[in-house]
Amino acid sequence: MTAFDSSPTLNVWRALLALAVVFVLLATTGWTAVRHQRGPGEPGQAALAAWEHARIGGRELPDPGSPAGRLSDFFASIGAARAASLADRHPLVVGNLNGAPVTLRYRANRVALTQARQVERWRMHDSRLSADGRYEAGRRMHRYESLLSAGRQILAFDPSGKGRVAEVFGDLDRAQRVSVIVPGVDTNVLTFEKTRRKYTAPVGMAQSLYSAERAAAPRVRTAVIAWADYTSPTGIGLEASTGRLAASGADRLVALTGALPGDARVTLFCHSYGSVVCGVAARELPGRVGDMAVAGSPGMRAETTTQLATNARVWAMRDRDDWIQDVPYLEVGGLGHGADPMTPDFGARLLSAAGATGHTGYFEPGTESLSNLAEIGVGSYLTLSCADGESACRSGIYGAREV
């Protein structure tokens, strides 16, 4: 090898070329699906403007961006009746306030979903919209009807743009262990749940994990959050190759984990681009986040777990048929997300993903990947299946369960 062959400049150009080739491949083989989905304006912004000028009992309402503790104190001070009145009058604000009582948020989001469903009913018959626009309105209307089904606990909802939503499975107020599923690209209100390929969507992932956790530790009170409350990239293209959306998603994830009720231990399960969000959020996460598990990760915008600057244990798994392994694991000029979390040098605890198929099969019931994720979620580590078939991933962890 000559000095020219090993020059830093040439290596940078090679890296950029590798990225360009991969993104062209992604775009031409169907991995990139650019589907611009437009919602009915920006109702979230209008709701915030109305909140800013509202009063309750002569008092100004708190800034929605206030710390969770301050918002919690505010709702405690006004009493249940006035809090319910605010939820009914300002559902899109109250339903998304970290620090508001969980049950109040559920109530507010039912009101917001009911209103959003009515808007989409009108849009379905609006002659000013194109046929595609009316069809899209119908899809949204049916999604909102599903989210309004009895017993569903919607922790966050905003129909603006492509839509954001989060749902809780279990009793969040009483949980000893809380699991948060952070999904990847093409996650929005329409893809939040699916009938076909159920376990590739956030709701199916959460339902599967919640059932597996209860089976793994029946006496541990668990709750699982299907968290699609950030704006994810559309398709696997240039938008997904940068950290811009991950940065804003990380802010929202930090706010969520810092505002969860009680003192439950929290585990993050980060799939695909969701692992980029988790990586960016890592250094700001509260201490109650004890574990972070990534599956099918394109990188965490770090070269090692040390660079993540978190005290949480970092776990990683990848199915051998997952196409994500073909994406270059590097970061050049803002493109790419850093080292492969599956490499020994990264420092993650490597888990078996046996039974999973492809990039979206990690939460399928009956797989070793789901079993491993559930064991981490309930704090049981000694029965985990490591990627090496031995016990390297369990080293240094004492006690079968931490609750």
Side-chain angles (χ1 to χ4, degrees):
M1 178 182 294
T2 66
F4 178 76
D5 289 334
S6 60
S7 70
T9 301
L10 185 58
N11 287 337
V12 168
W13 279 109
R14 282 175 171 165
L16 287 171
L17 179 60
L19 278 173
V21 169
V22 167
F23 291 132
V24 169
L25 283 171
L26 292 175
T28 58
T29 58
W31 292 354
T32 298
V34 179
R35 297 183 297 275
H36 296 290
Q37 299 171 353
R38 296 183 181 276
E42 298 298 331
Q45 293 180 5
L48 287 171
W51 174 271
E52 183 180 351
H53 296 98
R55 299 288 186 274
I56 188 79
R59 294 175 57 180
E60 291 186 358
L61 303 183
D63 183 340
S66 299
R70 187 177 303 168
L71 292 171
S72 178
D73 290 344
F74 167 77
F75 282 103
S77 72
I78 64 174
R82 284 181 170 173
S85 174
L86 279 180
D88 294 343
R89 288 162 45 203
H90 303 277
L92 276 180
V93 177
V94 176
N96 294 285
L97 282 181
N98 290 313
V102 168
T103 52
L104 187 68
R105 292 180 67 173
Y106 297 161
R107 173 183 179 134
N109 285 318
R110 288 195 69 80
V111 175
L113 279 161
T114 300
Q115 294 174 352
R117 178 180 60 180
Q118 186 59 48
V119 168
E120 298 305 333
R121 278 202 179 119
W122 291 331
R123 296 179 73 239
M124 285 174 63
H125 305 288
D126 189 342
S127 60
R128 295 171 298 177
L129 295 179
S130 66
D132 286 345
R134 293 193 295 274
Y135 173 73
E136 169 99 356
R139 292 182 66 202
R140 280 180 170 252
M141 193 269 290
H142 290 302
R143 169 64 66 243
Y144 299 155
E145 284 184 339
S146 176
L147 293 172
L148 282 165
S149 299
R152 299 193 72 166
Q153 302 177 133
I154 307 304
L155 185 66
F157 170 68
D158 186 346
S160 303
K162 292 184 291 183
R164 298 194 303 264
V165 62
E167 182 173 7
V168 175
F169 297 87
D171 188 337
L172 192 56
D173 281 318
R174 297 181 61 250
Q176 297 167 290
R177 307 279 309 197
V178 175
S179 299
V180 182
I181 293 178
V182 184
V185 301
D186 284 326
T187 298
N188 53 61
V189 73
L190 290 176
T191 60
F192 186 56
E193 56 184 332
K194 297 178 181 178
T195 302
R196 295 181 58 228
R197 303 179 68 232
K198 173 180 178 179
Y199 303 110
T200 68
V203 168
M205 291 177 180
Q207 290 174 327
S208 181
L209 181 62
Y210 183 55
S211 295
E213 287 183 350
R214 295 177 73 187
R219 290 179 293 182
V220 177
R221 297 192 303 273
T222 62
V224 178
I225 302 174
W227 189 77
D229 193 26
Y230 82 103
T231 301
S232 74
T234 300
I236 309 294
L238 187 61
E239 193 175 55
S241 72
T242 70
R244 182 180 66 85
L245 292 179
S248 58
D251 290 341
R252 300 182 69 84
L253 183 60
V254 169
L256 169 79
T257 54
L260 291 173
D263 56 1
R265 295 284 286 174
V266 178
T267 301
L268 303 182
F269 295 99
C270 320
H271 176 244
S272 193
Y273 189 84
S275 67
V276 185
V277 176
C278 291
V280 176
R283 67 178 59 247
E284 302 296 333
L285 292 170
R288 68 193 303 185
V289 179
D291 293 279
M292 184 187 310
V294 302
S297 174
M300 301 181 74
R301 299 198 75 78
E303 297 303 313
T304 64
T305 55
T306 301
Q307 287 186 5
L308 293 174
T310 178
N311 291 324
R313 283 179 286 262
V314 180
W315 309 81
M317 66 168 62
R318 184 172 64 220
D319 176 64
R320 61 184 180 181
D321 296 325
D322 191 334
W323 56 259
I324 201 73
Q325 64 192 307
D326 297 325
V327 173
Y329 284 92
L330 45 81
E331 191 278 324
V332 179
L335 290 175
H337 302 302
D340 181 355
M342 293 297 295
T343 59
D345 288 346
F346 187 77
R349 297 172 181 270
L350 304 183
L351 295 162
S352 168
T357 302
H359 186 58
T360 57
Y362 297 100
F363 291 86
E364 285 281 345
T367 58
E368 203 164 87
S369 55
L370 175 63
S371 175
N372 275 332
L373 296 176
E375 294 285 356
I376 294 171
V378 299
S380 179
Y381 304 100
L382 293 189
T383 55
L384 290 172
S385 300
C386 302
D388 61 2
E390 298 179 5
S391 61
C393 69
R394 302 191 298 268
S395 65
I397 301 177
Y398 300 100
R401 182 165 290 124
E402 296 181 2
V403 176

